[in-house]
Amino acid sequence: LSAAIRTILVADLVMSVDNVIAVAGAAGGAPASYRMPLLVVGLAMSVPLIIVGSTMLMKVMERFPVIITLGGALLGYLAGQMLATDPATQAWFDARMAEADVACGAIGAVFVVVVGQGLRRRRCRQSRA
């Protein structure tokens, strides 16, 4: 339970900092006299929404753990696509493989899921010992 609470607190902190930057950027386009009130109202609304949203998402993930695996697969897919479409590597991938972004994305998704399942099995074996 304490590990879950720490994870939620760290995620809330990181998302809140990201939100502060987004709200400040949105308020930056307003006239100077409206910036501070917009920033205060935006933060007053967004921080509780993030906390409530992350709590609800945590409950859904506890009920349906497959969401965690699907989320990991999505992150792996996006990482693979980013690798294949990065300006530094795109020409190399394009010269060797058609649809490299899809192939690298699929490889990334499978890699993340396989590594995650392996780590979970190892943790289960260690907890039984």
Side-chain angles (χ1 to χ4, degrees), residues 9-52:
L9 289 176
V10 169
D12 285 344
L13 177 67
V14 169
M15 288 187 293
S16 294
V17 169
D18 181 49
N19 224 22
V20 168
I21 293 169
V23 170
S33 60
Y34 292 121
R35 285 186 194 143
M36 187 56 72
L38 282 174
L39 187 61
V40 170
V41 170
L43 291 176
M45 288 173 53
S46 64
V47 172
L49 284 173
I50 288 173
I51 292 170
V52 170

Side-chain angles (χ1 to χ4, degrees), residues 111-125:
F111 176 77
V112 168
V113 170
V114 168
V115 169
Q117 294 297 326
L119 291 173
R120 186 173 58 104
R121 284 190 193 112
R122 182 169 39 155
R123 190 174 38 216
C124 287
R125 273 185 268 144

Side-chain angles (χ1 to χ4, degrees), residues 66-81 104-114 116-117:
V66 71
I67 293 173
I68 298 168
T69 303
L70 293 174
L74 176 62
L75 290 174
Y77 184 83
L78 294 174
Q81 273 194 326
C104 287
I107 291 167
V110 170
F111 176 77
V112 168
V113 170
V114 168
Q117 294 297 326

Side-chain angles (χ1 to χ4, degrees), residues 79-108:
Q81 273 194 326
M82 288 171 57
L83 175 69
T85 60
D86 187 89
T89 60
Q90 187 171 14
W92 187 87
F93 279 107
D94 287 345
R96 287 161 179 76
M97 182 186 319
E99 302 296 326
D101 58 333
V102 175
C104 287
I107 291 167

